[in-house]
Amino acid sequence: MSLSRVRTAIAAATVSLLAACGGGGGDETPVGSAPAPTPPSASAAPITRLVVAGDSLADVGTFGLKATVQSASNPAGYPIYPEVVSQQLGTGALCSYFTSSDEGGSFATRPACTNFAVAGADIVNPVVRDGDDSPFSLKKQLESALSANGGAWKPGDLLVMDAGANDAAGLADTYLGAQRGGATDKLVFAALLGQQLSGSTIDNALSQPNGGSVAATLYMQQLARTWWAMVKANALDQGATRVVLVNIPDITLTPRLRDVVAGAATDLGAGGAADFQAAVRGWITTFNSELAAQAAGDSRVVIVDYFGEFTAEVAGAPAAGLTNTTQAACPATVDFPQCTDAALDAAPPAGAVAGWWKTWLFSDRFHPSPRGHELLGAAVLRAIQAAGWR
């Protein structure tokens, strides 16, 4: 099963549905409605439980695996970043609340589990994939987590979540399709924008020079506000005193987006491909900046700068214990169930020895290796420590 999703087909199907519903689905809210600060005493209780929401980065097994290198000898696999955090905090093993045996066609639940993350999830899950009624929606995950915990959060709870990378990747794919294609591709792009922006905002943006990128920037800004509204409604307004938000890394540095940028050079030229990469990076920066603005002044919230951490890992690989930050360890011809440590050790790159993959940053073309998860887990723990929560 492929856990990285290209959403052009979903967005295409959304065109008619959005038209039938009358246009954009997101309210464009003003910048920076400041939250009320919380006294430090509100988070004085020791952390006794970890609750997780997010996408494949945080999913410990909704579909029976983790989006990283698999362990051939240990069914529990290598720890991904929430498990690294849980191990250090002593909050116990994590298990997936949602489970699916048919790649997300239907879901069962395990009420005792506190990891609500689902691989492939979006902040704004398309209506053609059941929208907010599906665990592929961050809103559904957070609502389910709140309900499963009795409608209120306890003083010992720590909530950790990541989101937005899949939204950004889907936006990048659809934007590039509109740049390369014809009228239908442009409608697909407009339909995706309509999930967050009003028709008039889209029309105004698209009428400007480089209007597609302008519209995408507005989309990502609104997407950050939408995520914050979900966090506020389902966590902060319900008694949560410790919430960790992991922002979006620079996905243009992943093997998947590097390949997309290289492919764009064929149609758009080297300059156009460079402009595309810079645009995607700019959209993500806009999202992260807006998220930080929304959370500013709220002592209950810590934002982990994964964008900065991830960029530094790629730029300074040896300092991070990395020897490769551009390629995927898993062969392109296999999916995660077959990408085991034993299989990788049995077929090392030329000149490499067993365990070579342990110092690579990427497992497949879009997801971290076990070492990548160790680094992110350490960043989350540093942020928690800096906030005085442990």
Side-chain angles (χ1 to χ4, degrees):
M1 179 185 67
S2 176
L3 296 177
S4 60
R5 297 168 183 270
V6 178
R7 298 296 220 303
T8 303
I10 291 175
T14 307
V15 173
S16 59
L17 288 174
L18 287 177
C21 295
D27 294 328
E28 293 158 47
T29 54
V31 175
S33 34
T38 302
S41 59
S43 59
I47 296 171
T48 56
R49 183 172 59 165
L50 178 61
V51 179
V52 180
D55 50 33
S56 54
L57 199 61
D59 183 351
V60 295
T62 299
F63 304 109
L65 52 83
K66 302 171 189 175
T68 192
V69 175
Q70 311 300 303
S71 172
S73 61
N74 181 7
Y78 292 97
I80 61 173
Y81 91 87
E83 294 175 305
V84 172
V85 174
S86 180
Q87 288 170 2
Q88 291 297 311
L89 296 180
T91 52
L94 292 170
C95 57
S96 294
Y97 178 86
F98 295 107
T99 64
S100 176
S101 59
D102 57 359
E103 299 188 8
S106 60
F107 291 89
T109 60
R110 294 188 288 190
C113 296
T114 63
N115 186 307
F116 295 80
V118 174
D122 290 297
I123 295 172
V124 177
N125 185 48
V127 292
V128 294
R129 202 170 61 165
D130 295 330
D132 289 342
D133 293 328
S134 168
F136 285 122
S137 159
L138 263 290
K139 185 171 185 287
K140 174 68 172 180
Q141 291 179 23
L142 291 172
E143 289 174 346
S144 298
L146 178 63
S147 176
N149 287 284
W153 299 103
K154 300 175 178 60
D157 291 338
L158 172 67
L159 280 66
V160 175
M161 61 192 84
D162 65 82
N166 287 333
D167 299 81
L171 179 64
D173 290 334
T174 310
Y175 168 86
L176 190 57
Q179 294 296 301
R180 288 168 158 170
T184 300
D185 298 287
K186 290 176 172 59
L187 283 174
V188 169
F189 179 54
L192 189 150
L193 295 173
Q195 294 178 134
Q196 287 287 276
L197 303 175
S198 68
S200 60
T201 298
I202 295 170
D203 291 342
N204 181 61
L206 294 179
S207 69
Q208 300 178 45
N210 200 23
S213 187
V214 172
T217 300
L218 294 174
Y219 181 92
M220 291 298 287
Q221 183 180 50
Q222 181 60 31
L223 189 71
R225 297 170 183 162
T226 296
W227 190 25
W228 176 255
M230 294 174 187
V231 172
K232 190 172 185 300
N234 294 288
L236 301 175
D237 290 350
Q238 308 302 327
T241 59
R242 283 174 289 208
V243 177
V244 174
L245 306 179
V246 178
N247 71 14
I248 304 177
D250 183 356
I251 63 172
T252 72
L253 299 177
T254 65
R256 174 188 162 188
L257 267 292
R258 287 179 188 270
D259 289 348
V260 171
V261 171
T266 302
D267 298 328
L268 307 179
D275 289 345
F276 167 69
Q277 181 176 21
V280 175
R281 187 173 287 151
W283 306 338
I284 294 171
T285 300
T286 294
F287 175 97
N288 290 341
S289 297
E290 182 61 28
L291 182 64
Q294 292 292 319
D298 196 319
S299 62
R300 301 168 296 177
V301 180
V302 166
I303 295 179
V304 175
D305 182 20
Y306 192 25
F307 185 98
E309 294 279 343
F310 185 75
T311 302
E313 291 163 12
V314 173
L322 297 166
T323 60
N324 187 305
T325 60
T326 60
Q327 297 172 287
C330 301
T333 54
V334 305
D335 214 335
F336 278 126
Q338 293 78 43
C339 185
T340 67
D341 48 9
L344 295 177
D345 284 342
V353 298
W356 59 271
W357 50 273
K358 294 179 180 179
T359 59
W360 285 39
L361 180 57
F362 296 104
S363 56
D364 73 343
R365 296 169 64 243
F366 200 59
H367 299 92
S369 66
R371 176 59 182 161
H373 278 286
E374 288 177 4
L375 293 168
L376 177 53
V380 173
L381 288 163
R382 287 196 301 271
I384 293 170
Q385 184 76 40
W389 294 352
R390 67 181 294 238

